[in-house]
PDB file of all heavy atoms in Angstrom:
ATOM      1  N   LYS A   1      -9.203 -18.347  14.867  1.00 95.00           N
ATOM      2  CA  LYS A   1      -8.792 -17.110  14.671  1.00 95.00           C
ATOM      3  C   LYS A   1      -8.567 -16.288  15.981  1.00 95.00           C
ATOM      4  O   LYS A   1      -7.957 -16.832  16.889  1.00 95.00           O
ATOM      5  CB  LYS A   1      -9.767 -16.318  13.830  1.00 95.00           C
ATOM      6  CG  LYS A   1      -9.930 -16.834  12.462  1.00 95.00           C
ATOM      7  CD  LYS A   1     -10.936 -16.082  11.540  1.00 95.00           C
ATOM      8  CE  LYS A   1     -11.272 -16.787  10.307  1.00 95.00           C
ATOM      9  NZ  LYS A   1     -12.217 -16.053   9.428  1.00 95.00           N
ATOM     10  N   ALA A   2      -9.052 -15.069  16.079  1.00 95.00           N
ATOM     11  CA  ALA A   2      -8.717 -14.270  17.235  1.00 95.00           C
ATOM     12  C   ALA A   2      -9.266 -14.707  18.562  1.00 95.00           C
ATOM     13  O   ALA A   2      -8.871 -14.397  19.566  1.00 95.00           O
ATOM     14  CB  ALA A   2      -9.188 -12.851  17.034  1.00 95.00           C
ATOM     15  N   ARG A   3     -10.411 -15.415  18.547  1.00 93.00           N
ATOM     16  CA  ARG A   3     -11.070 -15.914  19.802  1.00 93.00           C
ATOM     17  C   ARG A   3     -10.482 -17.184  20.398  1.00 93.00           C
ATOM     18  O   ARG A   3     -10.755 -17.602  21.423  1.00 93.00           O
ATOM     19  CB  ARG A   3     -12.550 -16.036  19.452  1.00 93.00           C
ATOM     20  CG  ARG A   3     -12.853 -17.194  18.472  1.00 93.00           C
ATOM     21  CD  ARG A   3     -14.423 -17.236  18.201  1.00 93.00           C
ATOM     22  NE  ARG A   3     -14.694 -18.135  17.210  1.00 93.00           N
ATOM     23  CZ  ARG A   3     -14.951 -19.467  17.348  1.00 93.00           C
ATOM     24  NH1 ARG A   3     -14.956 -19.787  18.592  1.00 93.00           N
ATOM     25  NH2 ARG A   3     -15.200 -20.235  16.406  1.00 93.00           N
ATOM     26  N   GLY A   4      -9.632 -17.813  19.616  1.00 96.00           N
ATOM     27  CA  GLY A   4      -9.003 -19.015  20.145  1.00 96.00           C
ATOM     28  C   GLY A   4      -7.912 -18.924  21.098  1.00 96.00           C
ATOM     29  O   GLY A   4      -7.351 -17.802  21.250  1.00 96.00           O
ATOM     30  N   ALA A   5      -7.664 -20.030  21.775  1.00 97.00           N
ATOM     31  CA  ALA A   5      -6.561 -19.926  22.792  1.00 97.00           C
ATOM     32  C   ALA A   5      -5.258 -19.636  22.240  1.00 97.00           C
ATOM     33  O   ALA A   5      -4.339 -19.033  22.874  1.00 97.00           O
ATOM     34  CB  ALA A   5      -6.570 -21.330  23.490  1.00 97.00           C
ATOM     35  N   THR A   6      -4.976 -20.107  21.062  1.00 98.00           N
ATOM     36  CA  THR A   6      -3.677 -20.012  20.419  1.00 98.00           C
ATOM     37  C   THR A   6      -3.426 -18.541  20.151  1.00 98.00           C
ATOM     38  O   THR A   6      -2.315 -18.028  20.463  1.00 98.00           O
ATOM     39  CB  THR A   6      -3.540 -20.774  19.112  1.00 98.00           C
ATOM     40  OG1 THR A   6      -3.672 -22.262  19.391  1.00 98.00           O
ATOM     41  CG2 THR A   6      -2.256 -20.526  18.543  1.00 98.00           C
ATOM     42  N   ALA A   7      -4.383 -17.805  19.699  1.00 98.00           N
ATOM     43  CA  ALA A   7      -4.262 -16.409  19.338  1.00 98.00           C
ATOM     44  C   ALA A   7      -4.201 -15.558  20.825  1.00 98.00           C
ATOM     45  O   ALA A   7      -3.385 -14.663  20.781  1.00 98.00           O
ATOM     46  CB  ALA A   7      -5.477 -15.906  18.583  1.00 98.00           C
ATOM     47  N   ARG A   8      -4.873 -16.021  21.679  1.00 98.00           N
ATOM     48  CA  ARG A   8      -4.808 -15.232  22.934  1.00 98.00           C
ATOM     49  C   ARG A   8      -3.462 -15.370  23.593  1.00 98.00           C
ATOM     50  O   ARG A   8      -2.869 -14.451  24.175  1.00 98.00           O
ATOM     51  CB  ARG A   8      -5.910 -15.766  23.858  1.00 98.00           C
ATOM     52  CG  ARG A   8      -7.263 -15.314  23.385  1.00 98.00           C
ATOM     53  CD  ARG A   8      -8.285 -15.680  24.550  1.00 98.00           C
ATOM     54  NE  ARG A   8      -8.612 -17.020  24.762  1.00 98.00           N
ATOM     55  CZ  ARG A   8      -8.289 -17.747  25.814  1.00 98.00           C
ATOM     56  NH1 ARG A   8      -7.718 -17.079  26.914  1.00 98.00           N
ATOM     57  NH2 ARG A   8      -8.691 -18.944  25.984  1.00 98.00           N
ATOM     58  N   LEU A   9      -2.790 -16.525  23.515  1.00 98.00           N
ATOM     59  CA  LEU A   9      -1.540 -16.748  24.006  1.00 98.00           C
ATOM     60  C   LEU A   9      -0.407 -16.100  23.260  1.00 98.00           C
ATOM     61  O   LEU A   9       0.368 -15.498  23.824  1.00 98.00           O
ATOM     62  CB  LEU A   9      -1.133 -18.304  24.079  1.00 98.00           C
ATOM     63  CG  LEU A   9       0.084 -18.682  24.709  1.00 98.00           C
ATOM     64  CD1 LEU A   9       0.150 -18.200  26.193  1.00 98.00           C
ATOM     65  CD2 LEU A   9       0.330 -20.244  24.810  1.00 98.00           C
ATOM     66  N   ALA A  10      -0.591 -16.111  21.961  1.00 98.00           N
ATOM     67  CA  ALA A  10       0.406 -15.310  21.005  1.00 98.00           C
ATOM     68  C   ALA A  10       0.210 -13.863  21.254  1.00 98.00           C
ATOM     69  O   ALA A  10       1.234 -13.136  21.247  1.00 98.00           O
ATOM     70  CB  ALA A  10       0.146 -15.755  19.560  1.00 98.00           C
ATOM     71  N   ASP A  11      -0.981 -13.430  21.599  1.00 98.00           N
ATOM     72  CA  ASP A  11      -1.205 -11.917  21.874  1.00 98.00           C
ATOM     73  C   ASP A  11      -0.398 -11.575  23.106  1.00 98.00           C
ATOM     74  O   ASP A  11       0.054 -10.507  23.101  1.00 98.00           O
ATOM     75  CB  ASP A  11      -2.678 -11.723  22.119  1.00 98.00           C
ATOM     76  CG  ASP A  11      -3.470 -11.613  20.917  1.00 98.00           C
ATOM     77  OD1 ASP A  11      -2.819 -11.410  19.765  1.00 98.00           O
ATOM     78  OD2 ASP A  11      -4.757 -11.585  20.984  1.00 98.00           O
ATOM     79  N   LEU A  12      -0.198 -12.514  24.087  1.00 98.00           N
ATOM     80  CA  LEU A  12       0.537 -12.109  25.297  1.00 98.00           C
ATOM     81  C   LEU A  12       2.034 -12.000  24.887  1.00 98.00           C
ATOM     82  O   LEU A  12       2.679 -11.140  25.457  1.00 98.00           O
ATOM     83  CB  LEU A  12       0.314 -13.188  26.339  1.00 98.00           C
ATOM     84  CG  LEU A  12      -1.107 -13.221  26.996  1.00 98.00           C
ATOM     85  CD1 LEU A  12      -1.170 -14.533  27.831  1.00 98.00           C
ATOM     86  CD2 LEU A  12      -1.451 -12.018  27.835  1.00 98.00           C
ATOM     87  N   VAL A  13       2.439 -12.818  24.031  1.00 98.00           N
ATOM     88  CA  VAL A  13       3.750 -12.663  23.632  1.00 98.00           C
ATOM     89  C   VAL A  13       3.963 -11.310  22.926  1.00 98.00           C
ATOM     90  O   VAL A  13       4.993 -10.723  23.039  1.00 98.00           O
ATOM     91  CB  VAL A  13       4.312 -13.915  22.655  1.00 98.00           C
ATOM     92  CG1 VAL A  13       5.665 -13.669  22.066  1.00 98.00           C
ATOM     93  CG2 VAL A  13       4.034 -15.150  23.292  1.00 98.00           C
ATOM     94  N   GLY A  14       2.965 -10.960  21.992  1.00 98.00           N
ATOM     95  CA  GLY A  14       3.056  -9.735  21.343  1.00 98.00           C
ATOM     96  C   GLY A  14       3.023  -8.546  22.418  1.00 98.00           C
ATOM     97  O   GLY A  14       3.729  -7.631  22.088  1.00 98.00           O
ATOM     98  N   GLU A  15       2.303  -8.694  23.426  1.00 98.00           N
ATOM     99  CA  GLU A  15       2.252  -7.598  24.358  1.00 98.00           C
ATOM    100  C   GLU A  15       3.610  -7.391  25.061  1.00 98.00           C
ATOM    101  O   GLU A  15       3.995  -6.300  25.231  1.00 98.00           O
ATOM    102  CB  GLU A  15       1.309  -7.981  25.528  1.00 98.00           C
ATOM    103  CG  GLU A  15      -0.152  -7.880  25.081  1.00 98.00           C
ATOM    104  CD  GLU A  15      -1.097  -8.287  26.221  1.00 98.00           C
ATOM    105  OE1 GLU A  15      -0.647  -8.456  27.312  1.00 98.00           O
ATOM    106  OE2 GLU A  15      -2.370  -8.425  25.892  1.00 98.00           O
ATOM    107  N   GLY A  16       4.377  -8.488  25.210  1.00 98.00           N
ATOM    108  CA  GLY A  16       5.721  -8.357  25.871  1.00 98.00           C
ATOM    109  C   GLY A  16       6.559  -7.735  24.794  1.00 98.00           C
ATOM    110  O   GLY A  16       7.395  -6.791  25.213  1.00 98.00           O
ATOM    111  N   ALA A  17       6.406  -8.045  23.601  1.00 98.00           N
ATOM    112  CA  ALA A  17       7.239  -7.377  22.539  1.00 98.00           C
ATOM    113  C   ALA A  17       6.921  -5.862  22.340  1.00 98.00           C
ATOM    114  O   ALA A  17       7.867  -5.095  22.244  1.00 98.00           O
ATOM    115  CB  ALA A  17       7.207  -8.129  21.229  1.00 98.00           C
ATOM    116  N   GLU A  18       5.624  -5.613  22.398  1.00 98.00           N
ATOM    117  CA  GLU A  18       5.189  -4.270  22.146  1.00 98.00           C
ATOM    118  C   GLU A  18       5.676  -3.415  23.315  1.00 98.00           C
ATOM    119  O   GLU A  18       5.939  -2.110  23.220  1.00 98.00           O
ATOM    120  CB  GLU A  18       3.740  -4.114  22.049  1.00 98.00           C
ATOM    121  CG  GLU A  18       3.263  -4.788  20.686  1.00 98.00           C
ATOM    122  CD  GLU A  18       1.747  -4.760  20.626  1.00 98.00           C
ATOM    123  OE1 GLU A  18       1.036  -4.936  21.694  1.00 98.00           O
ATOM    124  OE2 GLU A  18       1.165  -4.775  19.421  1.00 98.00           O
ATOM    125  N   GLY A  19       5.731  -3.982  24.528  1.00 98.00           N
ATOM    126  CA  GLY A  19       6.191  -3.248  25.669  1.00 98.00           C
ATOM    127  C   GLY A  19       7.698  -2.786  25.624  1.00 98.00           C
ATOM    128  O   GLY A  19       8.162  -1.906  26.338  1.00 98.00           O
ATOM    129  N   GLU A  20       8.423  -3.524  24.785  1.00 98.00           N
ATOM    130  CA  GLU A  20       9.816  -3.140  24.434  1.00 98.00           C
ATOM    131  C   GLU A  20       9.874  -2.350  23.187  1.00 98.00           C
ATOM    132  O   GLU A  20      11.027  -2.039  22.705  1.00 98.00           O
ATOM    133  CB  GLU A  20      10.648  -4.350  24.342  1.00 98.00           C
ATOM    134  CG  GLU A  20      10.626  -5.258  25.540  1.00 98.00           C
ATOM    135  CD  GLU A  20      11.205  -4.536  26.768  1.00 98.00           C
ATOM    136  OE1 GLU A  20      12.196  -3.875  26.656  1.00 98.00           O
ATOM    137  OE2 GLU A  20      10.579  -4.753  27.889  1.00 98.00           O
ATOM    138  N   GLY A  21       8.874  -1.822  22.736  1.00 98.00           N
ATOM    139  CA  GLY A  21       8.906  -0.891  21.559  1.00 98.00           C
ATOM    140  C   GLY A  21       8.566  -1.550  20.044  1.00 98.00           C
ATOM    141  O   GLY A  21       8.725  -0.935  19.133  1.00 98.00           O
ATOM    142  N   ALA A  22       8.242  -2.840  20.050  1.00 98.00           N
ATOM    143  CA  ALA A  22       8.041  -3.477  18.863  1.00 98.00           C
ATOM    144  C   ALA A  22       6.692  -3.232  18.332  1.00 98.00           C
ATOM    145  O   ALA A  22       5.847  -2.897  19.101  1.00 98.00           O
ATOM    146  CB  ALA A  22       8.272  -5.017  18.974  1.00 98.00           C
ATOM    147  N   CYS A  23       6.516  -3.298  17.018  1.00 98.00           N
ATOM    148  CA  CYS A  23       5.158  -3.210  16.395  1.00 98.00           C
ATOM    149  C   CYS A  23       4.966  -4.668  15.870  1.00 98.00           C
ATOM    150  O   CYS A  23       5.658  -5.317  15.135  1.00 98.00           O
ATOM    151  CB  CYS A  23       5.361  -2.351  15.177  1.00 98.00           C
ATOM    152  SG  CYS A  23       3.827  -2.188  14.120  1.00 98.00           S
ATOM    153  N   VAL A  24       3.570  -5.145  16.229  1.00 98.00           N
ATOM    154  CA  VAL A  24       3.238  -6.569  15.904  1.00 98.00           C
ATOM    155  C   VAL A  24       2.045  -6.523  14.960  1.00 98.00           C
ATOM    156  O   VAL A  24       1.115  -5.872  15.201  1.00 98.00           O
ATOM    157  CB  VAL A  24       2.941  -7.283  17.191  1.00 98.00           C
ATOM    158  CG1 VAL A  24       2.477  -8.835  16.839  1.00 98.00           C
ATOM    159  CG2 VAL A  24       4.139  -7.315  18.106  1.00 98.00           C
ATOM    160  N   GLU A  25       2.130  -7.337  13.864  1.00 98.00           N
ATOM    161  CA  GLU A  25       0.902  -7.337  12.955  1.00 98.00           C
ATOM    162  C   GLU A  25       0.546  -8.880  12.959  1.00 98.00           C
ATOM    163  O   GLU A  25       1.527  -9.772  12.759  1.00 98.00           O
ATOM    164  CB  GLU A  25       1.341  -7.062  11.560  1.00 98.00           C
ATOM    165  CG  GLU A  25       0.177  -7.373  10.563  1.00 98.00           C
ATOM    166  CD  GLU A  25       0.499  -6.924   9.133  1.00 98.00           C
ATOM    167  OE1 GLU A  25       1.655  -6.305   9.021  1.00 98.00           O
ATOM    168  OE2 GLU A  25      -0.337  -7.123   8.215  1.00 98.00           O
ATOM    169  N   THR A  26      -0.607  -9.208  13.193  1.00 98.00           N
ATOM    170  CA  THR A  26      -1.042 -10.539  13.225  1.00 98.00           C
ATOM    171  C   THR A  26      -1.853 -11.004  12.051  1.00 98.00           C
ATOM    172  O   THR A  26      -2.778 -10.309  11.615  1.00 98.00           O
ATOM    173  CB  THR A  26      -1.988 -10.810  14.459  1.00 98.00           C
ATOM    174  OG1 THR A  26      -1.283 -10.550  15.680  1.00 98.00           O
ATOM    175  CG2 THR A  26      -2.474 -12.236  14.465  1.00 98.00           C
ATOM    176  N   ILE A  27      -1.464 -12.153  11.527  1.00 97.00           N
ATOM    177  CA  ILE A  27      -2.167 -12.636  10.229  1.00 97.00           C
ATOM    178  C   ILE A  27      -2.761 -14.063  10.771  1.00 97.00           C
ATOM    179  O   ILE A  27      -2.184 -14.894  11.171  1.00 97.00           O
ATOM    180  CB  ILE A  27      -1.102 -12.975   9.172  1.00 97.00           C
ATOM    181  CG1 ILE A  27      -0.586 -11.588   8.734  1.00 97.00           C
ATOM    182  CG2 ILE A  27      -1.774 -13.727   7.917  1.00 97.00           C
ATOM    183  CD1 ILE A  27       0.645 -11.856   7.648  1.00 97.00           C
ATOM    184  N   PHE A  28      -4.096 -14.072  10.393  1.00 97.00           N
ATOM    185  CA  PHE A  28      -4.844 -15.350  10.700  1.00 97.00           C
ATOM    186  C   PHE A  28      -4.941 -16.184   9.214  1.00 97.00           C
ATOM    187  O   PHE A  28      -5.601 -15.630   8.451  1.00 97.00           O
ATOM    188  CB  PHE A  28      -6.279 -15.034  11.214  1.00 97.00           C
ATOM    189  CG  PHE A  28      -6.223 -14.301  12.508  1.00 97.00           C
ATOM    190  CD1 PHE A  28      -6.389 -12.918  12.569  1.00 97.00           C
ATOM    191  CD2 PHE A  28      -5.850 -14.950  13.694  1.00 97.00           C
ATOM    192  CE1 PHE A  28      -6.386 -12.199  13.764  1.00 97.00           C
ATOM    193  CE2 PHE A  28      -5.984 -14.269  14.910  1.00 97.00           C
ATOM    194  CZ  PHE A  28      -6.114 -12.973  14.915  1.00 97.00           C
ATOM    195  N   LEU A  29      -4.297 -17.307   9.261  1.00 96.00           N
ATOM    196  CA  LEU A  29      -4.304 -18.118   8.091  1.00 96.00           C
ATOM    197  C   LEU A  29      -5.822 -18.526   7.665  1.00 96.00           C
ATOM    198  O   LEU A  29      -5.979 -18.526   6.416  1.00 96.00           O
ATOM    199  CB  LEU A  29      -3.357 -19.370   8.219  1.00 96.00           C
ATOM    200  CG  LEU A  29      -1.905 -18.927   8.205  1.00 96.00           C
ATOM    201  CD1 LEU A  29      -1.088 -20.229   8.376  1.00 96.00           C
ATOM    202  CD2 LEU A  29      -1.399 -18.222   7.055  1.00 96.00           C
ATOM    203  N   PRO A  30      -6.618 -18.738   8.551  1.00 87.00           N
ATOM    204  CA  PRO A  30      -8.019 -19.100   8.084  1.00 87.00           C
ATOM    205  C   PRO A  30      -8.614 -17.975   7.533  1.00 87.00           C
ATOM    206  O   PRO A  30      -9.584 -18.037   6.774  1.00 87.00           O
ATOM    207  CB  PRO A  30      -8.694 -19.565   9.417  1.00 87.00           C
ATOM    208  CG  PRO A  30      -7.559 -20.058  10.321  1.00 87.00           C
ATOM    209  CD  PRO A  30      -6.455 -19.172   9.921  1.00 87.00           C
ATOM    210  N   GLY A  31      -8.195 -16.773   7.683  1.00 86.00           N
ATOM    211  CA  GLY A  31      -8.714 -15.499   6.997  1.00 86.00           C
ATOM    212  C   GLY A  31      -8.038 -15.203   5.737  1.00 86.00           C
ATOM    213  O   GLY A  31      -8.400 -14.286   4.946  1.00 86.00           O
ATOM    214  N   LYS A  32      -6.910 -16.001   5.352  1.00 90.00           N
ATOM    215  CA  LYS A  32      -6.306 -15.907   4.087  1.00 90.00           C
ATOM    216  C   LYS A  32      -6.464 -17.122   3.355  1.00 90.00           C
ATOM    217  O   LYS A  32      -6.899 -18.132   3.858  1.00 90.00           O
ATOM    218  CB  LYS A  32      -4.682 -15.678   4.472  1.00 90.00           C
ATOM    219  CG  LYS A  32      -4.555 -14.334   5.110  1.00 90.00           C
ATOM    220  CD  LYS A  32      -4.614 -13.112   4.138  1.00 90.00           C
ATOM    221  CE  LYS A  32      -4.106 -11.813   4.857  1.00 90.00           C
ATOM    222  NZ  LYS A  32      -4.312 -10.715   3.973  1.00 90.00           N
ATOM    223  N   ARG A  33      -5.855 -17.110   2.131  1.00 94.00           N
ATOM    224  CA  ARG A  33      -6.057 -18.266   1.346  1.00 94.00           C
ATOM    225  C   ARG A  33      -4.533 -18.770   0.897  1.00 94.00           C
ATOM    226  O   ARG A  33      -3.957 -18.119   0.142  1.00 94.00           O
ATOM    227  CB  ARG A  33      -6.880 -18.104   0.013  1.00 94.00           C
ATOM    228  CG  ARG A  33      -7.095 -19.479  -0.763  1.00 94.00           C
ATOM    229  CD  ARG A  33      -8.227 -19.204  -1.812  1.00 94.00           C
ATOM    230  NE  ARG A  33      -7.854 -18.173  -2.824  1.00 94.00           N
ATOM    231  CZ  ARG A  33      -7.228 -18.446  -3.873  1.00 94.00           C
ATOM    232  NH1 ARG A  33      -6.813 -19.718  -4.336  1.00 94.00           N
ATOM    233  NH2 ARG A  33      -7.024 -17.424  -4.747  1.00 94.00           N
ATOM    234  N   VAL A  34      -4.141 -19.874   1.568  1.00 96.00           N
ATOM    235  CA  VAL A  34      -2.800 -20.442   1.299  1.00 96.00           C
ATOM    236  C   VAL A  34      -3.061 -21.830   0.887  1.00 96.00           C
ATOM    237  O   VAL A  34      -3.372 -22.758   1.553  1.00 96.00           O
ATOM    238  CB  VAL A  34      -1.848 -20.324   2.479  1.00 96.00           C
ATOM    239  CG1 VAL A  34      -0.564 -20.917   2.202  1.00 96.00           C
ATOM    240  CG2 VAL A  34      -1.663 -18.799   2.917  1.00 96.00           C
ATOM    241  N   ASN A  35      -2.899 -22.104  -0.419  1.00 95.00           N
ATOM    242  CA  ASN A  35      -3.215 -23.441  -0.916  1.00 95.00           C
ATOM    243  C   ASN A  35      -2.035 -24.481  -0.644  1.00 95.00           C
ATOM    244  O   ASN A  35      -0.941 -23.945  -0.444  1.00 95.00           O
ATOM    245  CB  ASN A  35      -3.349 -23.341  -2.450  1.00 95.00           C
ATOM    246  CG  ASN A  35      -4.562 -22.510  -2.833  1.00 95.00           C
ATOM    247  OD1 ASN A  35      -5.614 -22.560  -2.131  1.00 95.00           O
ATOM    248  ND2 ASN A  35      -4.460 -21.846  -3.949  1.00 95.00           N
ATOM    249  N   PRO A  36      -2.220 -25.719  -0.634  1.00 95.00           N
ATOM    250  CA  PRO A  36      -1.200 -26.663  -0.503  1.00 95.00           C
ATOM    251  C   PRO A  36      -0.177 -26.492  -1.625  1.00 95.00           C
ATOM    252  O   PRO A  36      -0.443 -25.985  -2.737  1.00 95.00           O
ATOM    253  CB  PRO A  36      -1.905 -28.081  -0.572  1.00 95.00           C
ATOM    254  CG  PRO A  36      -3.366 -27.821  -0.117  1.00 95.00           C
ATOM    255  CD  PRO A  36      -3.674 -26.383  -0.734  1.00 95.00           C
ATOM    256  N   CYS A  37       1.051 -26.867  -1.393  1.00 96.00           N
ATOM    257  CA  CYS A  37       2.088 -26.894  -2.463  1.00 96.00           C
ATOM    258  C   CYS A  37       1.751 -27.923  -3.566  1.00 96.00           C
ATOM    259  O   CYS A  37       1.298 -28.944  -3.251  1.00 96.00           O
ATOM    260  CB  CYS A  37       3.419 -27.218  -1.781  1.00 96.00           C
ATOM    261  SG  CYS A  37       4.800 -27.459  -2.955  1.00 96.00           S
ATOM    262  N   ASN A  38       1.957 -27.425  -4.784  1.00 95.00           N
ATOM    263  CA  ASN A  38       1.693 -28.323  -5.976  1.00 95.00           C
ATOM    264  C   ASN A  38       2.932 -29.051  -6.444  1.00 95.00           C
ATOM    265  O   ASN A  38       2.826 -29.846  -7.328  1.00 95.00           O
ATOM    266  CB  ASN A  38       1.162 -27.510  -7.153  1.00 95.00           C
ATOM    267  CG  ASN A  38      -0.315 -27.152  -6.882  1.00 95.00           C
ATOM    268  OD1 ASN A  38      -1.087 -27.616  -6.167  1.00 95.00           O
ATOM    269  ND2 ASN A  38      -0.614 -25.872  -7.453  1.00 95.00           N
ATOM    270  N   ALA A  39       4.092 -28.886  -5.681  1.00 95.00           N
ATOM    271  CA  ALA A  39       5.308 -29.499  -6.152  1.00 95.00           C
ATOM    272  C   ALA A  39       5.603 -29.211  -7.660  1.00 95.00           C
ATOM    273  O   ALA A  39       6.155 -30.060  -8.264  1.00 95.00           O
ATOM    274  CB  ALA A  39       5.204 -31.001  -5.884  1.00 95.00           C
ATOM    275  N   CYS A  40       5.426 -28.068  -8.224  1.00 96.00           N
ATOM    276  CA  CYS A  40       5.657 -27.721  -9.531  1.00 96.00           C
ATOM    277  C   CYS A  40       7.004 -27.229  -9.790  1.00 96.00           C
ATOM    278  O   CYS A  40       7.449 -27.122 -10.949  1.00 96.00           O
ATOM    279  CB  CYS A  40       4.660 -26.632  -9.967  1.00 96.00           C
ATOM    280  SG  CYS A  40       4.893 -25.031  -9.256  1.00 96.00           S
TER     281      CYS A  40
END
């Protein structure tokens, strides 16, 4: 989640975007429930 290297690197990308006026919302998939596709 937020403490990992991936999130920290993505945060830097977000900082660059926010510096240009963007609004960034981060979603951590381990904090959500996204099941595998059932092919239904």
Side-chain angles (χ1 to χ4, degrees):
K1 301 180 184 179
R3 64 186 176 86
T6 302
R8 291 191 289 114
L9 187 56
D11 281 346
L12 292 171
V13 180
E15 287 176 11
E18 288 171 337
E20 300 299 317
C23 175
V24 181
E25 177 183 353
T26 300
I27 297 172
F28 298 101
L29 290 180
K32 296 287 186 178
R33 187 164 63 90
V34 177
N35 299 326
C37 176
N38 288 330
C40 66

